[in-house]
Amino acid sequence: IYLCTRQVRRVFFNPAQSSTTTTTIVLKGIPKWAKQLVLVGSVLIMVALHLAQIMIPPPPNLPDLFAVLWSIAGCGFFVITWLGMVWQLYQYQPTALSNAEKKSH
């Protein structure tokens, strides 16, 4: 989890530090505090679910409680990521065509 969040921080918040093999994503138009909230919130939710799964036994009538909670959390993380990427695509402005591209059109 730590390595994943470290890479997310590097790509989203410090694109200059990301390696050249990593796709650089800067979500323009989304405040830094919102990106930070999503990152910290997702880590806190994952840690809380891990601790709850270790320390709290599920009720007898809900034996798959933690599996369902993990699925809901994963779906939520996916939706947030998907919306961020849709926002990035919506904000995308294509650059001017190079001379070689202009000649081919």
Side-chain angles (χ1 to χ4, degrees):
I1 292 173
Y2 170 74
L3 293 176
C4 290
T5 56
R6 183 173 167 219
Q7 184 63 19
V8 167
R9 283 184 59 84
R10 183 184 304 155
V11 171
F12 279 93
F13 298 107
N14 297 321
Q17 293 179 1
S18 64
S19 66
T20 56
T21 59
T22 304
T23 303
T24 302
I25 302 167
V26 179
L27 295 174
K28 297 175 185 173
I30 298 177
K32 185 175 181 177
W33 64 265
K35 293 185 278 187
Q36 192 80 354
L37 178 68
V38 169
L39 180 65
V40 172
S42 65
V43 171
L44 290 176
I45 289 170
M46 287 188 283
V47 169
L49 275 172
H50 275 291
L51 292 175
Q53 191 170 7
I54 292 169
M55 298 177 164
I56 303 169
N61 59 342
L62 299 171
D64 296 329
L65 175 66
F66 293 110
V68 171
L69 290 176
W70 276 111
S71 297
I72 292 170
C75 181
F77 299 148
F78 174 79
V79 167
I80 289 169
T81 304
W82 179 75
L83 289 174
M85 293 301 104
V86 168
W87 179 260
Q88 182 70 26
L89 287 171
Y90 178 73
Q91 296 295 319
Y92 175 72
Q93 298 294 324
T95 58
L97 294 174
S98 68
N99 289 335
E101 291 173 330
K102 287 178 184 177
K103 290 178 184 177
S104 67
H105 287 274

